[in-house]
Amino acid sequence: DAGVTQSPTHLIKTRGQQVTLRCSPKSGHDTVSWYQQALGQGPQFIFQYYEEEERQRGNFPDRFSGHQFPNYSSELNVNALLLGDSALYLCASSFITGIKTYEQYFGPGTRLTVT
Amino acid sequence: AQSVTQLGSHVSVSEGALVLLRCNYSSSVPPYLFWYVQYPNQGLQLLLKYTTGATLVKGINGFEAEFKKSETSFHLTKPSAHMSDAAEYFCAVSDDFGNEKLTFGTGTRLTIIP
């Protein structure tokens, strides 16, 4: 059973560019959350998708947007990249419908470097 | 708003010694509490969680944590440290029964001294 997968592993972009990160949830999971982890910091919640809708959002600007597909996979898009967007972006999946386990399974992350 | 404070950004213990990583939380409603571990260049792995019920929670790899409401604490312990425990540990809180948004602390890097 594959866990949460993310692509690409690493990415280097230039300021002002746009980037798309991808996430496939653990089999059987219906919800995807995205987190940003800056160097030396704990992860910060960006937003969560369920049933192809943004369900909850953290304190991130509109430059950060996302999408969830019918197969539950998700994309995170960041426009007009800033140097401060350099971070590890983590995807987590969970199963909201039904019996709640309150467990989120994290992927290995995508390391984004903005130069 | 919820918040988590992890006391000690770096903790060093000798192999075989007690591991104690501190976490204090702030929440206006009964919290759900979690400890995650992150090995270099990897994602987060859930060690243990407290939702309801017994306040002493046992997790994987011999770790356990005790929820103390009066002290707003959820400290992580392991009786005997192993070299493989060297990693970054994050405490997190959620007070949402459905959305599961996690608020993380800044992490504690655990170093094991041979």
Side-chain angles (χ1 to χ4, degrees):
Chain A
D1 175 25
V4 180
T5 60
Q6 293 186 243
S7 63
T9 305
H10 295 88
L11 204 53
I12 300 175
K13 290 287 188 178
T14 303
R15 276 178 298 175
Q17 286 187 317
Q18 179 265 345
V19 68
T20 297
L21 310 181
R22 295 175 177 82
C23 171
S24 291
K26 180 178 170 64
S27 177
H29 284 185
D30 57 10
T31 302
V32 172
S33 300
W34 286 93
Y35 293 81
Q36 180 196 65
Q37 185 179 16
L39 197 62
Q41 300 295 316
Q44 286 195 296
F45 177 78
I46 303 175
F47 44 53
Q48 182 184 79
Y49 276 84
Y50 171 67
E51 292 189 338
E52 302 180 48
E53 296 286 335
E54 184 182 290
R55 197 158 177 256
Q56 193 175 13
R57 188 179 183 92
N59 188 26
F60 279 80
D62 292 343
R63 298 187 297 109
F64 289 77
S65 63
H67 188 77
Q68 185 179 34
F69 300 93
N71 67 353
Y72 307 117
S73 66
S74 176
E75 288 182 349
L76 164 65
N77 301 292
V78 186
N79 295 322
L81 285 167
L82 304 173
L83 294 179
D85 294 332
S86 295
L88 180 68
Y89 288 85
L90 295 164
C91 170
S93 73
S94 55
F95 183 58
I96 284 185
T97 306
I99 297 175
K100 294 178 174 51
T101 64
Y102 304 100
E103 292 183 14
Q104 293 192 39
Y105 289 79
F106 282 81
T110 292
R111 174 76 61 187
L112 172 65
T113 302
V114 182
T115 62
Chain B
Q2 310 153 274
S3 66
V4 171
T5 301
Q6 291 185 241
L7 298 176
S9 58
H10 291 86
V11 171
S12 296
V13 301
S14 297
E15 190 175 15
L18 171 71
V19 174
L20 171 60
L21 304 182
R22 299 178 186 275
C23 171
N24 288 88
Y25 69 91
S26 172
S27 178
S28 57
V29 297
Y32 290 176
L33 295 160
F34 307 81
W35 276 99
Y36 284 86
V37 61
Q38 186 175 37
Y39 297 100
N41 301 313
Q42 293 188 26
L44 302 174
Q45 181 183 12
L46 180 66
L47 278 176
L48 49 79
K49 64 181 180 184
Y50 168 78
T51 54
T52 58
T55 57
L56 182 62
V57 180
K58 294 186 183 301
I60 62 172
N61 301 340
F63 285 94
E64 63 181 36
E66 186 171 9
F67 170 60
K68 292 186 177 181
K69 184 178 179 180
S70 61
E71 298 177 7
T72 61
S73 69
F74 191 58
H75 301 331
L76 181 70
T77 61
K78 182 174 181 177
S80 177
H82 191 274
M83 295 300 295
S84 61
D85 295 328
E88 188 91 20
Y89 291 80
F90 293 94
C91 182
V93 63
S94 170
D95 65 5
D96 195 316
F97 284 71
N99 292 335
E100 304 176 339
K101 167 190 170 184
L102 294 170
T103 299
F104 286 88
T106 53
T108 297
R109 181 168 299 278
L110 177 64
T111 300
I112 309 299
I113 304 168

Short mmCIF file of all heavy atoms in Angstrom, two decimals, chain B residues 49-74:
data_model
loop_
_atom_site.label_atom_id
_atom_site.label_comp_id
_atom_site.label_asym_id
_atom_site.label_seq_id
_atom_site.Cartn_x
_atom_site.Cartn_y
_atom_site.Cartn_z
N LYS B 49 -0.76 10.05 19.77
CA LYS B 49 -1.78 11.08 19.78
C LYS B 49 -2.64 10.95 21.03
O LYS B 49 -2.79 9.85 21.58
CB LYS B 49 -2.67 10.97 18.54
CG LYS B 49 -3.46 9.67 18.49
CD LYS B 49 -4.31 9.55 17.25
CE LYS B 49 -5.07 8.21 17.27
NZ LYS B 49 -5.84 7.99 16.03
N TYR B 50 -3.17 12.07 21.48
CA TYR B 50 -4.18 12.09 22.54
C TYR B 50 -5.43 12.75 21.98
O TYR B 50 -5.38 13.88 21.48
CB TYR B 50 -3.69 12.87 23.77
CG TYR B 50 -4.81 13.13 24.73
CD1 TYR B 50 -5.25 12.13 25.60
CD2 TYR B 50 -5.48 14.35 24.75
CE1 TYR B 50 -6.31 12.35 26.46
CE2 TYR B 50 -6.54 14.58 25.61
CZ TYR B 50 -6.95 13.58 26.45
OH TYR B 50 -8.01 13.79 27.29
N THR B 51 -6.53 12.03 22.07
CA THR B 51 -7.80 12.62 21.66
C THR B 51 -8.74 12.66 22.85
O THR B 51 -9.12 13.72 23.33
CB THR B 51 -8.44 11.85 20.48
OG1 THR B 51 -8.54 10.46 20.82
CG2 THR B 51 -7.57 11.98 19.24
N THR B 52 -9.14 11.53 23.36
CA THR B 52 -9.95 11.46 24.57
C THR B 52 -9.54 10.21 25.35
O THR B 52 -8.79 9.38 24.85
CB THR B 52 -11.45 11.36 24.24
OG1 THR B 52 -11.67 10.19 23.44
CG2 THR B 52 -11.94 12.58 23.50
N GLY B 53 -10.05 10.09 26.57
CA GLY B 53 -9.79 8.87 27.32
C GLY B 53 -8.53 8.94 28.15
O GLY B 53 -8.21 9.98 28.73
N ALA B 54 -7.81 7.84 28.20
CA ALA B 54 -6.63 7.73 29.05
C ALA B 54 -5.63 8.83 28.75
O ALA B 54 -5.32 9.10 27.59
CB ALA B 54 -5.97 6.37 28.86
N THR B 55 -5.13 9.45 29.81
CA THR B 55 -4.23 10.59 29.64
C THR B 55 -2.79 10.17 29.37
O THR B 55 -2.00 10.98 28.90
CB THR B 55 -4.27 11.49 30.87
OG1 THR B 55 -3.94 10.70 32.03
CG2 THR B 55 -5.65 12.10 31.05
N LEU B 56 -2.44 8.92 29.69
CA LEU B 56 -1.11 8.41 29.34
C LEU B 56 -1.23 7.65 28.03
O LEU B 56 -1.93 6.66 27.93
CB LEU B 56 -0.59 7.51 30.45
CG LEU B 56 0.81 6.94 30.24
CD1 LEU B 56 1.84 8.06 30.15
CD2 LEU B 56 1.17 5.95 31.35
N VAL B 57 -0.51 8.15 27.06
CA VAL B 57 -0.63 7.60 25.71
C VAL B 57 0.67 6.93 25.32
O VAL B 57 1.75 7.52 25.49
CB VAL B 57 -0.95 8.72 24.70
CG1 VAL B 57 -1.07 8.15 23.30
CG2 VAL B 57 -2.22 9.45 25.09
N LYS B 58 0.58 5.74 24.83
CA LYS B 58 1.77 5.03 24.35
C LYS B 58 1.81 5.06 22.83
O LYS B 58 0.77 4.93 22.17
CB LYS B 58 1.75 3.59 24.85
CG LYS B 58 1.87 3.48 26.37
CD LYS B 58 1.98 2.06 26.83
CE LYS B 58 2.02 1.96 28.34
NZ LYS B 58 3.16 2.70 28.93
N GLY B 59 3.03 5.25 22.32
CA GLY B 59 3.18 5.34 20.88
C GLY B 59 4.16 4.32 20.35
O GLY B 59 4.48 3.34 21.00
N ILE B 60 4.66 4.62 19.17
CA ILE B 60 5.61 3.71 18.54
C ILE B 60 7.02 3.95 19.07
O ILE B 60 7.30 4.99 19.68
CB ILE B 60 5.59 3.86 17.01
CG1 ILE B 60 6.01 5.27 16.60
CG2 ILE B 60 4.21 3.53 16.46
CD1 ILE B 60 6.20 5.43 15.10
N ASN B 61 7.89 2.97 18.84
CA ASN B 61 9.31 3.09 19.19
C ASN B 61 9.55 3.33 20.68
O ASN B 61 10.59 3.89 21.05
CB ASN B 61 9.98 4.20 18.38
CG ASN B 61 9.87 3.99 16.88
OD1 ASN B 61 9.64 2.86 16.42
ND2 ASN B 61 10.00 5.04 16.12
N GLY B 62 8.63 2.91 21.53
CA GLY B 62 8.83 3.01 22.97
C GLY B 62 8.54 4.36 23.58
O GLY B 62 8.79 4.58 24.76
N PHE B 63 8.02 5.28 22.80
CA PHE B 63 7.69 6.61 23.32
C PHE B 63 6.31 6.63 23.97
O PHE B 63 5.42 5.87 23.60
CB PHE B 63 7.71 7.65 22.19
CG PHE B 63 9.09 8.03 21.75
CD1 PHE B 63 9.70 7.38 20.69
CD2 PHE B 63 9.77 9.04 22.41
CE1 PHE B 63 10.98 7.73 20.29
CE2 PHE B 63 11.05 9.40 22.02
CZ PHE B 63 11.66 8.74 20.96
N GLU B 64 6.15 7.52 24.94
CA GLU B 64 4.86 7.77 25.53
C GLU B 64 4.75 9.23 25.94
O GLU B 64 5.76 9.93 26.03
CB GLU B 64 4.60 6.84 26.73
CG GLU B 64 5.55 7.01 27.88
CD GLU B 64 5.21 6.02 29.01
OE1 GLU B 64 4.81 4.88 28.72
OE2 GLU B 64 5.37 6.42 30.18
N ALA B 65 3.52 9.68 26.15
CA ALA B 65 3.29 11.06 26.56
C ALA B 65 2.09 11.09 27.49
O ALA B 65 1.19 10.27 27.39
CB ALA B 65 3.05 11.95 25.35
N GLU B 66 2.11 12.07 28.39
CA GLU B 66 1.01 12.21 29.33
C GLU B 66 0.34 13.56 29.17
O GLU B 66 1.02 14.60 29.22
CB GLU B 66 1.49 12.04 30.77
CG GLU B 66 0.34 12.03 31.78
CD GLU B 66 0.78 11.66 33.18
OE1 GLU B 66 2.00 11.57 33.41
OE2 GLU B 66 -0.10 11.43 34.03
N PHE B 67 -0.96 13.55 28.98
CA PHE B 67 -1.74 14.78 28.89
C PHE B 67 -2.07 15.24 30.30
O PHE B 67 -2.71 14.53 31.07
CB PHE B 67 -3.02 14.52 28.09
CG PHE B 67 -4.02 15.65 28.15
CD1 PHE B 67 -3.67 16.91 27.68
CD2 PHE B 67 -5.29 15.46 28.65
CE1 PHE B 67 -4.58 17.96 27.70
CE2 PHE B 67 -6.21 16.50 28.68
CZ PHE B 67 -5.85 17.74 28.21
N LYS B 68 -1.60 16.45 30.63
CA LYS B 68 -1.89 17.03 31.94
C LYS B 68 -2.63 18.34 31.72
O LYS B 68 -2.01 19.38 31.42
CB LYS B 68 -0.61 17.24 32.74
CG LYS B 68 0.07 15.96 33.16
CD LYS B 68 1.25 16.22 34.09
CE LYS B 68 1.88 14.92 34.57
NZ LYS B 68 3.03 15.15 35.48
N LYS B 69 -3.92 18.30 31.90
CA LYS B 69 -4.76 19.47 31.63
C LYS B 69 -4.41 20.62 32.55
O LYS B 69 -4.35 21.78 32.13
CB LYS B 69 -6.23 19.10 31.79
CG LYS B 69 -7.19 20.22 31.44
CD LYS B 69 -8.62 19.75 31.58
CE LYS B 69 -9.60 20.88 31.26
NZ LYS B 69 -11.01 20.42 31.39
N SER B 70 -4.15 20.32 33.84
CA SER B 70 -3.87 21.37 34.82
C SER B 70 -2.59 22.13 34.50
O SER B 70 -2.43 23.29 34.85
CB SER B 70 -3.79 20.78 36.22
OG SER B 70 -2.74 19.83 36.29
N GLU B 71 -1.67 21.45 33.83
CA GLU B 71 -0.39 22.05 33.47
C GLU B 71 -0.34 22.43 31.99
O GLU B 71 0.69 22.95 31.54
CB GLU B 71 0.76 21.09 33.78
CG GLU B 71 0.87 20.72 35.26
CD GLU B 71 1.97 19.72 35.54
OE1 GLU B 71 2.74 19.38 34.60
OE2 GLU B 71 2.06 19.26 36.70
N THR B 72 -1.40 22.18 31.27
CA THR B 72 -1.46 22.37 29.79
C THR B 72 -0.20 21.82 29.14
O THR B 72 0.45 22.49 28.33
CB THR B 72 -1.69 23.85 29.40
OG1 THR B 72 -0.60 24.65 29.89
CG2 THR B 72 -3.00 24.36 29.95
N SER B 73 0.15 20.60 29.52
CA SER B 73 1.37 20.00 29.00
C SER B 73 1.11 18.65 28.35
O SER B 73 0.11 17.98 28.65
CB SER B 73 2.41 19.85 30.11
OG SER B 73 2.01 18.85 31.03
N PHE B 74 2.03 18.27 27.50
CA PHE B 74 1.96 16.98 26.80
C PHE B 74 3.40 16.57 26.49
O PHE B 74 3.82 16.52 25.34
CB PHE B 74 1.12 17.10 25.53
CG PHE B 74 0.77 15.78 24.88
CD1 PHE B 74 0.08 14.80 25.57
CD2 PHE B 74 1.10 15.54 23.56
CE1 PHE B 74 -0.26 13.59 24.98
CE2 PHE B 74 0.76 14.33 22.95
CZ PHE B 74 0.09 13.36 23.66
#
